[in-house]
Amino acid sequence: MTSTLIWIAVAFFAIGLYLSWTAGRLDRLHARIDAARAALDAQLLRRASVAQELATSGVLDPAASIVLYEAAHAARQAEEEHREVAESELSQALRAIFAEPGQVDVVREAPGGEDAASELSQAVRRVPMARRFHNDAVRAARALRRHRKVRWFRLAGHAPFPMAFEMDDEPPTALADRANS
């Protein structure tokens, strides 16, 4: 009888230890999502700021400046539920304006344009990487939260279900090519 109680206590201890480890892992994944989201937000803000700066610099033609400024301003001011759409529209505006390598050359030839083009190239290249890191962390947390043990024992607590950030983040070819050179 005593040995049975000892084995039951050991089994409960092992199960508790496993559940505690799983809850800790889930907590670390949620912290990783928060850090990745902060990095993504910083990169999106940087891209919008550089685009807005370029739009007001007078380097681009007036129509391109207006389109780029409005898209960048909308991306910076968008509320959370409309942010993915606003950021996608900024990506589309950047692709439309910098569809041809000649436009990048025009920016580079202007005073201070070399730095602006370089900074914009880096910004449009870093956004997809930051989004990929964020969505990978979300995918891992979702996979763990789908396990039966996590749902039954409510190991996620009151944390909201993680959502991926889906947007069009394809950089303009002319800028992406310049970032690699």
Side-chain angles (χ1 to χ4, degrees):
M1 178 72 171
T2 305
S3 68
T4 304
L5 289 176
I6 292 173
W7 281 112
I8 290 173
V10 167
F12 274 120
F13 178 75
I15 291 169
L17 191 63
Y18 177 70
L19 291 175
S20 175
W21 176 80
T22 303
R25 181 172 168 223
L26 190 57
D27 186 52
R28 288 188 301 276
L29 282 172
H30 280 262
R32 192 170 120 200
I33 289 170
D34 290 343
R37 182 58 190 244
L40 175 61
D41 287 342
Q43 292 304 322
L44 291 171
L45 180 62
R46 181 173 181 247
R47 180 182 76 154
S49 297
V50 170
Q52 205 168 18
E53 215 173 281
L54 185 62
T56 59
S57 68
V59 173
L60 300 173
D61 64 88
S65 291
I66 290 171
V67 168
L68 187 58
Y69 180 83
E70 287 179 356
H73 181 71
R76 288 182 73 179
Q77 301 298 320
E79 294 180 16
E80 194 59 37
E81 60 269 4
H82 302 293
R83 182 119 189 251
E84 293 171 348
V85 173
E87 294 293 348
S88 294
E89 288 172 354
L90 177 57
S91 295
Q92 293 164 1
L94 286 166
R95 276 198 311 275
I97 292 166
F98 294 105
E100 299 176 14
Q103 185 67 29
V104 178
D105 293 335
V106 168
V107 171
R108 287 187 183 276
E109 291 168 2
E114 186 70 35
D115 291 336
S118 170
E119 195 172 349
L120 186 60
S121 295
Q122 290 175 5
V124 299
R125 189 180 39 140
R126 288 179 180 163
V127 166
M129 288 188 294
R131 189 176 74 87
R132 193 173 314 118
F133 287 136
H134 175 267
N135 288 350
D136 287 346
V138 166
R139 200 171 300 113
R142 282 179 162 187
L144 185 58
R145 286 183 70 152
R146 284 192 187 105
H147 288 192
R148 218 175 286 139
K149 66 181 175 269
V150 173
R151 291 191 319 263
W152 286 352
F153 292 102
R154 299 184 187 273
L155 299 180
H158 297 288
F161 195 73
M163 301 301 291
F165 194 86
E166 297 300 333
M167 65 172 272
D168 174 5
D169 61 2
E170 184 181 334
T173 307
L175 285 174
D177 290 344
R178 301 288 178 149
N180 295 331
S181 59

